[in-house]
Amino acid sequence: WTLCFNALIEQTELQPSHWRNHYPHLNYGLLVYQTFCQHHSLFGNTPEESTLRTSIHTQWKGIDSFQAVRPIYHWVLVEGVTETMVLPHLAYVLGIHSAAHGVHWTATGGKKPMLKKLHDIQQYYNGPITLILDADAANARNEFEALINPKKDGLYFLSEGTLEDTYPDHVLLKAINNFYHPVSPLTLDNLQELRQEITASEKDLNQIQLLKQSFNHYELETYAHKPTQGFDKVAFARHVVECTQHIDDIPISLKKILTERLRPTANPF
């Protein structure tokens, strides 16, 4: 470990300053190692190999080894796993290949964890960052704006509500039929009827409620997830990805965000 990290340090010192910025995970690992060694040197101790290994593994916990060696030119923080499945695919349909253009997607688990994650990565990465959140996170706008750099970063709240609320009806309909396998395929009229029924009993209508209710209204031939288990957003998102193959399938609001923020001006490689 010591020889390995010393070699990396020597190599990074020979590279242009922007090199470290594009490999933030590796740069972070070097900082961890250097800090660890400095701490021990204060007491005249040389860290044992096992101690060094344990420390570095602890600091790197949760960092994907593939991501660690892949350059990052743009970091996108989203709230949930479904966003990391659907949004990179939408970008791909628009001609933006995340892996090829150094776009890194991270699901944080909500607005508060996103604030913490944003603060953490800013310690070792100073490239552009885009934040995409649900509409209900807008009450934390001031907290996010206090942390971002408006010259290079982007902050977006989905005006429709959640990611699921942005799905166009024709994509939603196709995904529902693929996911639920109703005996008779659902139609746009069926969707509208469902919306009206839900609106009559709920204050706020959203697509998740629509999807949760759909199996209660139609006889199903097969259903992969029992109603008692609740609606599986991640499983449904896979069908949305399969049903989104053309630019016209992409919601206008998401198309605007993705093209504004991720459209590369040049190939980074």
Side-chain angles (χ1 to χ4, degrees), residues 114-186:
M114 188 182 291
L115 283 166
K116 182 180 184 305
K117 182 65 176 178
L118 175 61
H119 178 268
D120 289 346
I121 66 176
Q122 285 175 331
Q123 307 309 304
Y124 55 94
Y125 170 79
N126 61 10
I129 301 172
T130 295
L131 313 173
I132 303 175
L133 300 101
D134 293 344
D136 63 4
N139 56 9
R141 179 185 293 274
N142 291 341
E143 295 177 72
F144 283 103
E145 290 181 341
L147 289 177
I148 65 173
N149 180 345
K151 291 183 179 180
K152 66 178 182 64
D153 301 329
L155 174 63
Y156 297 89
F157 298 95
L158 299 178
S159 58
E160 296 90 342
T162 67
L163 176 64
E164 289 74 21
D165 292 316
T166 69
Y167 299 156
D169 277 356
H170 70 282
V171 172
L172 188 66
L173 183 66
K174 198 184 302 183
I176 287 176
N177 284 326
N178 288 351
F179 186 59
Y180 290 128
H181 299 290
V183 174
S184 299
L186 307 188

Coordinates of all heavy atoms in Angstrom, one line a residue, residues 114-186:
M114 N -28.4 14.7 0.5 CA -27.8 15.3 -0.6 C -27.0 16.5 -0.2 O -25.9 16.8 -0.7 CB -28.9 15.7 -1.6 CG -28.2 16.2 -2.9 SD -29.4 16.8 -4.2 CE -30.2 15.2 -4.7
L115 N -27.5 17.3 0.8 CA -26.8 18.4 1.3 C -25.4 18.0 1.9 O -24.4 18.6 1.6 CB -27.6 19.1 2.4 CG -28.7 20.1 1.9 CD1 -29.6 20.4 3.0 CD2 -28.1 21.3 1.2
K116 N -25.4 16.9 2.6 CA -24.2 16.3 3.2 C -23.3 15.8 2.1 O -22.1 16.1 2.1 CB -24.5 15.2 4.2 CG -23.3 14.6 4.9 CD -23.7 13.6 5.9 CE -22.4 13.1 6.6 NZ -21.3 12.6 5.7
K117 N -23.8 15.1 1.2 CA -23.0 14.5 0.1 C -22.4 15.7 -0.7 O -21.2 15.6 -1.1 CB -23.9 13.7 -0.8 CG -23.1 13.0 -2.0 CD -22.1 12.0 -1.4 CE -21.4 11.3 -2.6 NZ -20.4 10.3 -2.1
L118 N -23.1 16.7 -1.0 CA -22.6 17.9 -1.7 C -21.5 18.5 -1.0 O -20.4 18.8 -1.6 CB -23.8 18.9 -1.9 CG -23.4 20.2 -2.6 CD1 -22.8 20.0 -4.0 CD2 -24.6 21.2 -2.6
H119 N -21.6 18.7 0.3 CA -20.5 19.3 1.1 C -19.3 18.4 1.1 O -18.2 18.8 0.9 CB -21.0 19.5 2.5 CG -20.0 20.0 3.4 ND1 -19.1 19.2 4.2 CD2 -19.6 21.3 3.7 CE1 -18.3 20.0 4.8 NE2 -18.5 21.3 4.6
D120 N -19.5 17.1 1.2 CA -18.4 16.1 1.2 C -17.6 16.1 -0.1 O -16.4 16.2 -0.1 CB -18.9 14.7 1.5 CG -19.4 14.5 2.9 OD1 -19.1 15.4 3.8 OD2 -20.1 13.5 3.2
I121 N -18.3 16.0 -1.2 CA -17.5 15.9 -2.5 C -16.9 17.2 -2.9 O -15.9 17.2 -3.6 CB -18.4 15.4 -3.6 CG1 -19.5 16.4 -4.0 CG2 -19.0 14.0 -3.3 CD1 -20.3 16.0 -5.2
Q122 N -17.4 18.3 -2.4 CA -16.7 19.6 -2.7 C -15.4 19.7 -2.0 O -14.6 20.6 -2.4 CB -17.6 20.7 -2.2 CG -18.8 21.0 -3.1 CD -19.8 22.0 -2.6 OE1 -19.9 22.2 -1.4 NE2 -20.5 22.7 -3.5
Q123 N -15.1 18.8 -1.1 CA -13.8 18.8 -0.4 C -12.7 18.3 -1.3 O -11.5 18.6 -1.1 CB -13.8 18.0 0.9 CG -14.9 18.4 1.8 CD -15.0 19.9 2.1 OE1 -14.0 20.5 2.6 NE2 -16.1 20.5 1.9
Y124 N -13.0 17.5 -2.3 CA -12.0 16.9 -3.2 C -12.4 16.9 -4.7 O -11.7 16.3 -5.5 CB -11.7 15.4 -2.7 CG -12.9 14.5 -2.7 CD1 -13.2 13.7 -3.8 CD2 -13.7 14.4 -1.5 CE1 -14.3 12.9 -3.7 CE2 -14.8 13.6 -1.5 CZ -15.1 12.8 -2.6 OH -16.2 11.9 -2.5
Y125 N -13.4 17.6 -5.0 CA -13.8 17.7 -6.4 C -14.4 19.1 -6.6 O -15.2 19.6 -5.9 CB -14.9 16.7 -6.7 CG -15.6 16.9 -8.1 CD1 -15.0 16.4 -9.2 CD2 -16.9 17.5 -8.2 CE1 -15.6 16.6 -10.5 CE2 -17.5 17.6 -9.4 CZ -16.8 17.2 -10.6 OH -17.4 17.3 -11.8
N126 N -13.9 19.8 -7.6 CA -14.3 21.2 -7.9 C -14.8 21.4 -9.3 O -14.9 22.5 -9.8 CB -13.2 22.2 -7.6 CG -12.0 22.1 -8.4 OD1 -12.0 21.3 -9.4 ND2 -10.9 22.7 -8.0
G127 N -15.2 20.3 -10.0 CA -15.8 20.4 -11.3 C -17.3 20.7 -11.2 O -17.9 20.9 -10.1
P128 N -18.0 20.8 -12.3 CA -19.4 21.1 -12.3 C -20.3 20.0 -11.6 O -20.0 18.8 -11.8 CB -19.8 21.2 -13.8 CG -18.7 20.4 -14.5 CD -17.5 20.6 -13.7
I129 N -21.3 20.5 -10.9 CA -22.2 19.6 -10.2 C -23.6 20.0 -10.5 O -23.9 21.2 -10.5 CB -22.0 19.7 -8.6 CG1 -20.6 19.3 -8.2 CG2 -23.0 18.8 -7.9 CD1 -20.2 19.6 -6.8
T130 N -24.5 19.0 -10.8 CA -25.9 19.3 -11.0 C -26.7 18.5 -10.0 O -26.5 17.4 -9.7 CB -26.3 18.8 -12.4 OG1 -25.6 19.6 -13.4 CG2 -27.8 19.0 -12.7
L131 N -27.7 19.2 -9.4 CA -28.5 18.7 -8.4 C -30.0 18.6 -8.9 O -30.5 19.6 -9.4 CB -28.5 19.5 -7.1 CG -27.1 19.9 -6.6 CD1 -27.3 20.9 -5.4 CD2 -26.3 18.7 -6.2
I132 N -30.6 17.4 -8.9 CA -32.0 17.3 -9.4 C -32.8 16.7 -8.2 O -32.5 15.6 -7.8 CB -32.0 16.4 -10.6 CG1 -31.1 16.9 -11.7 CG2 -33.5 16.2 -11.1 CD1 -31.0 16.0 -12.9
L133 N -33.8 17.5 -7.8 CA -34.6 17.0 -6.6 C -36.1 17.1 -7.0 O -36.5 17.8 -7.9 CB -34.3 17.9 -5.4 CG -32.9 18.0 -4.9 CD1 -32.2 19.2 -5.4 CD2 -32.9 17.9 -3.4
D134 N -36.9 16.4 -6.1 CA -38.3 16.5 -6.2 C -38.8 17.9 -5.8 O -38.1 18.6 -5.2 CB -39.0 15.4 -5.3 CG -38.7 14.0 -5.7 OD1 -38.3 13.8 -6.9 OD2 -38.9 13.1 -4.9
A135 N -40.0 18.2 -6.2 CA -40.6 19.5 -6.0 C -40.7 19.8 -4.5 O -40.5 21.0 -4.1 CB -42.0 19.6 -6.6
D136 N -41.0 18.8 -3.7 CA -41.1 19.1 -2.2 C -39.8 19.4 -1.5 O -39.9 19.8 -0.4 CB -41.8 17.9 -1.5 CG -41.0 16.6 -1.6 OD1 -39.9 16.7 -2.1 OD2 -41.5 15.6 -1.1
A137 N -38.7 19.3 -2.2 CA -37.4 19.7 -1.6 C -37.1 21.2 -1.8 O -36.1 21.7 -1.3 CB -36.3 18.8 -2.2
A138 N -38.0 21.9 -2.5 CA -37.8 23.3 -2.8 C -37.7 24.2 -1.6 O -37.2 25.2 -1.6 CB -38.9 23.8 -3.8
N139 N -38.3 23.6 -0.5 CA -38.2 24.4 0.8 C -36.8 24.5 1.3 O -36.5 25.2 2.3 CB -39.2 23.9 1.8 CG -38.9 22.4 2.1 OD1 -37.9 21.8 1.7 ND2 -39.8 21.8 2.8
A140 N -35.9 23.7 0.7 CA -34.5 23.7 1.2 C -33.6 24.5 0.1 O -32.4 24.3 0.2 CB -34.0 22.3 1.4
R141 N -34.3 25.2 -0.8 CA -33.5 25.9 -1.9 C -32.4 26.7 -1.3 O -31.3 26.7 -1.8 CB -34.5 26.7 -2.7 CG -33.8 27.5 -3.8 CD -34.8 28.4 -4.5 NE -35.8 27.7 -5.2 CZ -35.7 27.2 -6.5 NH1 -34.5 27.4 -7.1 NH2 -36.6 26.5 -7.1
N142 N -32.7 27.5 -0.3 CA -31.7 28.4 0.2 C -30.4 27.7 0.7 O -29.3 28.1 0.6 CB -32.2 29.3 1.4 CG -33.3 30.3 0.8 OD1 -33.3 30.6 -0.3 ND2 -34.1 30.8 1.7
E143 N -30.7 26.5 1.4 CA -29.5 25.7 1.9 C -28.7 25.2 0.7 O -27.4 25.2 0.8 CB -30.0 24.5 2.7 CG -30.8 24.9 3.9 CD -31.3 23.7 4.7 OE1 -30.5 23.0 5.2 OE2 -32.6 23.5 4.6
F144 N -29.3 24.8 -0.4 CA -28.5 24.3 -1.5 C -27.8 25.5 -2.2 O -26.6 25.4 -2.6 CB -29.4 23.6 -2.5 CG -29.8 22.2 -2.1 CD1 -31.1 22.0 -1.6 CD2 -28.9 21.2 -2.3 CE1 -31.4 20.7 -1.2 CE2 -29.3 19.9 -1.9 CZ -30.5 19.6 -1.4
E145 N -28.5 26.6 -2.4 CA -27.9 27.8 -3.1 C -26.7 28.3 -2.3 O -25.8 28.9 -2.9 CB -28.9 28.8 -3.3 CG -30.0 28.5 -4.3 CD -31.0 29.6 -4.5 OE1 -31.2 30.4 -3.6 OE2 -31.7 29.5 -5.6
A146 N -26.7 28.1 -1.0 CA -25.6 28.6 -0.2 C -24.3 27.7 -0.4 O -23.2 28.2 -0.2 CB -25.9 28.5 1.3
L147 N -24.5 26.5 -0.9 CA -23.3 25.6 -1.1 C -22.8 25.6 -2.6 O -21.7 25.3 -2.8 CB -23.7 24.2 -0.7 CG -23.9 23.9 0.8 CD1 -24.3 22.5 1.0 CD2 -22.6 24.2 1.5
I148 N -23.7 25.8 -3.5 CA -23.3 25.7 -4.9 C -22.7 26.9 -5.5 O -22.8 28.0 -5.0 CB -24.5 25.2 -5.8 CG1 -25.5 26.4 -5.9 CG2 -25.1 23.9 -5.3 CD1 -26.6 26.1 -6.9
N149 N -21.9 26.7 -6.6 CA -21.3 27.8 -7.3 C -22.2 28.1 -8.6 O -22.1 27.2 -9.5 CB -19.9 27.5 -7.7 CG -19.2 28.6 -8.4 OD1 -19.8 29.5 -8.9 ND2 -17.9 28.5 -8.5
P150 N -22.9 29.1 -8.6 CA -23.8 29.3 -9.8 C -23.1 29.4 -11.1 O -23.8 29.2 -12.2 CB -24.6 30.6 -9.4 CG -23.7 31.3 -8.4 CD -23.0 30.2 -7.7
K151 N -21.8 29.7 -11.1 CA -21.1 29.8 -12.4 C -20.9 28.4 -13.0 O -20.7 28.4 -14.2 CB -19.7 30.5 -12.1 CG -19.9 32.0 -11.7 CD -18.5 32.6 -11.6 CE -18.6 34.1 -11.3 NZ -17.3 34.7 -11.1
K152 N -20.8 27.4 -12.2 CA -20.6 26.1 -12.8 C -21.6 25.0 -12.4 O -21.7 23.9 -13.0 CB -19.2 25.6 -12.4 CG -19.0 25.3 -10.9 CD -17.6 24.8 -10.6 CE -17.4 24.5 -9.1 NZ -18.3 23.4 -8.6
D153 N -22.4 25.2 -11.3 CA -23.3 24.2 -10.8 C -24.7 24.5 -11.2 O -25.1 25.7 -11.6 CB -23.2 24.1 -9.3 CG -21.8 23.8 -8.8 OD1 -21.1 23.1 -9.5 OD2 -21.4 24.2 -7.7
G154 N -25.6 23.5 -11.2 CA -27.0 23.7 -11.5 C -27.9 23.1 -10.5 O -27.6 22.0 -9.9
L155 N -29.0 23.7 -10.1 CA -29.9 23.3 -9.1 C -31.3 23.2 -9.8 O -31.8 24.3 -10.2 CB -29.9 24.2 -7.9 CG -30.9 23.9 -6.8 CD1 -30.7 22.6 -6.2 CD2 -30.8 25.0 -5.7
Y156 N -31.9 22.1 -9.7 CA -33.2 21.9 -10.4 C -34.2 21.2 -9.4 O -33.8 20.2 -8.8 CB -33.1 21.1 -11.7 CG -32.3 21.8 -12.7 CD1 -30.9 21.5 -12.8 CD2 -32.8 22.6 -13.7 CE1 -30.1 22.2 -13.7 CE2 -32.0 23.3 -14.6 CZ -30.7 23.0 -14.6 OH -29.9 23.6 -15.6
F157 N -35.4 21.7 -9.4 CA -36.5 21.0 -8.7 C -37.6 20.6 -9.7 O -38.0 21.5 -10.5 CB -37.1 21.9 -7.6 CG -36.1 22.3 -6.5 CD1 -35.4 23.5 -6.7 CD2 -35.9 21.5 -5.4 CE1 -34.5 23.9 -5.7 CE2 -35.0 21.9 -4.5 CZ -34.3 23.1 -4.6
L158 N -38.0 19.4 -9.7 CA -39.0 18.9 -10.7 C -40.3 19.5 -10.4 O -41.0 19.2 -9.4 CB -39.1 17.4 -10.6 CG -37.8 16.6 -11.0 CD1 -38.0 15.1 -10.8 CD2 -37.3 17.0 -12.4
S159 N -40.7 20.4 -11.3 CA -42.0 21.1 -11.1 C -43.2 20.2 -11.1 O -44.2 20.5 -10.4 CB -42.2 22.2 -12.1 OG -42.2 21.7 -13.4
E160 N -43.1 19.1 -11.7 CA -44.3 18.2 -11.8 C -44.5 17.5 -10.5 O -45.6 17.0 -10.2 CB -44.0 17.1 -12.9 CG -44.0 17.7 -14.3 CD -42.5 18.1 -14.7 OE1 -41.7 18.2 -13.8 OE2 -42.3 18.2 -15.9
G161 N -43.5 17.4 -9.7 CA -43.5 16.7 -8.4 C -42.4 15.7 -8.2 O -41.3 16.1 -7.7
T162 N -42.5 14.5 -8.7 CA -41.5 13.5 -8.6 C -41.1 13.1 -10.0 O -41.8 13.4 -11.0 CB -41.9 12.2 -7.8 OG1 -43.0 11.5 -8.5 CG2 -42.5 12.6 -6.4
L163 N -40.1 12.2 -10.1 CA -39.7 11.7 -11.4 C -40.9 11.0 -12.1 O -41.1 11.2 -13.3 CB -38.5 10.8 -11.3 CG -38.0 10.1 -12.6 CD1 -37.5 11.1 -13.6 CD2 -37.0 9.0 -12.3
E164 N -41.6 10.2 -11.4 CA -42.7 9.5 -11.9 C -43.8 10.4 -12.5 O -44.5 10.0 -13.5 CB -43.3 8.5 -10.9 CG -42.5 7.3 -10.5 CD -41.3 7.7 -9.6 OE1 -41.3 8.8 -9.0 OE2 -40.3 6.9 -9.6
D165 N -43.9 11.6 -11.9 CA -44.9 12.5 -12.4 C -44.5 13.2 -13.8 O -45.4 13.8 -14.4 CB -45.1 13.6 -11.4 CG -45.8 13.1 -10.1 OD1 -46.7 12.3 -10.2 OD2 -45.3 13.5 -9.0
T166 N -43.3 13.0 -14.2 CA -42.9 13.5 -15.5 C -43.1 12.6 -16.7 O -43.1 13.0 -17.8 CB -41.4 13.9 -15.5 OG1 -40.6 12.6 -15.4 CG2 -41.0 14.7 -14.3
Y167 N -43.4 11.3 -16.4 CA -43.6 10.4 -17.5 C -44.7 10.8 -18.4 O -45.9 10.9 -17.9 CB -43.8 9.0 -17.0 CG -42.7 8.4 -16.1 CD1 -43.0 7.4 -15.1 CD2 -41.4 8.8 -16.2 CE1 -42.0 6.8 -14.3 CE2 -40.4 8.3 -15.4 CZ -40.7 7.3 -14.4 OH -39.8 6.7 -13.6
P168 N -44.5 10.9 -19.7 CA -45.6 11.1 -20.6 C -46.6 10.0 -20.6 O -46.3 8.9 -20.3 CB -44.9 11.2 -22.0 CG -43.5 11.5 -21.7 CD -43.2 10.8 -20.4
D169 N -47.9 10.3 -20.9 CA -48.9 9.3 -20.8 C -48.7 8.1 -21.7 O -48.9 6.9 -21.3 CB -50.3 9.9 -21.2 CG -50.9 10.6 -20.0 OD1 -50.4 10.6 -18.9 OD2 -52.0 11.2 -20.2
H170 N -48.1 8.3 -22.9 CA -47.9 7.2 -23.8 C -46.8 6.2 -23.3 O -46.9 5.0 -23.5 CB -47.7 7.6 -25.3 CG -46.3 8.3 -25.5 ND1 -46.0 9.6 -25.1 CD2 -45.2 7.8 -26.0 CE1 -44.8 9.9 -25.4 NE2 -44.2 8.8 -25.9
V171 N -45.8 6.8 -22.7 CA -44.8 6.0 -22.0 C -45.3 5.3 -20.8 O -45.1 4.1 -20.6 CB -43.5 6.8 -21.7 CG1 -42.5 6.0 -20.9 CG2 -42.9 7.4 -22.9
L172 N -46.1 6.0 -20.0 CA -46.7 5.5 -18.8 C -47.6 4.3 -19.1 O -47.5 3.2 -18.5 CB -47.4 6.6 -18.1 CG -48.0 6.2 -16.7 CD1 -46.8 6.0 -15.7 CD2 -48.9 7.4 -16.2
L173 N -48.4 4.5 -20.1 CA -49.3 3.5 -20.5 C -48.6 2.2 -21.0 O -49.0 1.1 -20.6 CB -50.2 4.0 -21.7 CG -51.3 3.0 -22.2 CD1 -52.4 2.8 -21.1 CD2 -52.0 3.6 -23.4
K174 N -47.6 2.4 -21.8 CA -46.9 1.2 -22.3 C -46.2 0.5 -21.2 O -46.1 -0.8 -21.1 CB -45.8 1.7 -23.4 CG -45.3 0.6 -24.3 CD -44.2 1.1 -25.2 CE -44.7 2.3 -26.1 NZ -43.7 2.7 -27.0
A175 N -45.6 1.2 -20.2 CA -44.9 0.6 -19.1 C -45.8 -0.1 -18.2 O -45.5 -1.2 -17.7 CB -44.1 1.7 -18.3
I176 N -47.0 0.5 -18.0 CA -48.0 -0.2 -17.1 C -48.4 -1.5 -17.7 O -48.5 -2.5 -17.0 CB -49.2 0.7 -16.9 CG1 -48.9 1.9 -16.0 CG2 -50.4 -0.1 -16.3 CD1 -50.0 2.9 -15.8
N177 N -48.7 -1.5 -19.0 CA -49.1 -2.7 -19.7 C -48.0 -3.8 -19.6 O -48.3 -5.0 -19.5 CB -49.5 -2.5 -21.1 CG -50.9 -1.8 -21.2 OD1 -51.8 -2.1 -20.4 ND2 -51.1 -0.9 -22.2
N178 N -46.8 -3.4 -19.8 CA -45.6 -4.3 -19.7 C -45.4 -4.8 -18.3 O -45.0 -6.0 -18.1 CB -44.3 -3.6 -20.2 CG -44.3 -3.4 -21.7 OD1 -45.2 -3.9 -22.4 ND2 -43.4 -2.7 -22.2
F179 N -45.7 -4.0 -17.3 CA -45.4 -4.3 -15.9 C -46.5 -5.2 -15.3 O -46.3 -6.1 -14.6 CB -45.2 -3.0 -15.1 CG -44.8 -3.2 -13.7 CD1 -43.6 -3.9 -13.4 CD2 -45.6 -2.7 -12.6 CE1 -43.2 -4.0 -12.1 CE2 -45.2 -2.9 -11.3 CZ -44.0 -3.5 -11.0
Y180 N -47.8 -4.8 -15.5 CA -48.9 -5.5 -14.9 C -49.5 -6.6 -15.7 O -50.2 -7.5 -15.2 CB -50.0 -4.4 -14.6 CG -49.7 -3.5 -13.5 CD1 -49.8 -2.1 -13.7 CD2 -49.3 -3.9 -12.3 CE1 -49.6 -1.2 -12.7 CE2 -49.0 -3.0 -11.2 CZ -49.1 -1.7 -11.5 OH -48.9 -0.8 -10.4
H181 N -49.3 -6.6 -17.0 CA -49.8 -7.6 -17.9 C -51.3 -7.8 -17.8 O -51.8 -8.9 -17.5 CB -49.1 -9.0 -17.7 CG -47.7 -8.9 -18.0 ND1 -47.1 -8.8 -19.2 CD2 -46.6 -9.0 -17.1 CE1 -45.8 -8.8 -19.1 NE2 -45.5 -9.0 -17.9
P182 N -52.1 -6.8 -17.9 CA -53.6 -6.9 -17.8 C -54.1 -7.8 -18.9 O -53.5 -7.8 -20.0 CB -54.1 -5.5 -17.9 CG -53.1 -4.8 -18.7 CD -51.8 -5.4 -18.3
V183 N -55.2 -8.5 -18.7 CA -55.8 -9.3 -19.7 C -56.2 -8.5 -20.9 O -55.9 -8.9 -22.1 CB -57.1 -10.0 -19.2 CG1 -57.8 -10.8 -20.3 CG2 -56.8 -10.9 -18.0
S184 N -56.8 -7.3 -20.7 CA -57.0 -6.4 -21.8 C -56.1 -5.2 -21.6 O -56.2 -4.5 -20.5 CB -58.5 -5.9 -21.8 OG -59.3 -7.0 -22.0
P185 N -55.2 -4.9 -22.6 CA -54.3 -3.7 -22.4 C -55.1 -2.5 -22.0 O -56.1 -2.2 -22.5 CB -53.6 -3.6 -23.8 CG -53.7 -5.0 -24.3 CD -55.0 -5.6 -23.8
L186 N -54.5 -1.7 -21.1 CA -55.1 -0.5 -20.7 C -55.0 0.6 -21.8 O -54.1 0.5 -22.6 CB -54.4 0.1 -19.4 CG -54.3 -0.9 -18.2 CD1 -53.8 -0.2 -17.0 CD2 -55.7 -1.5 -17.9

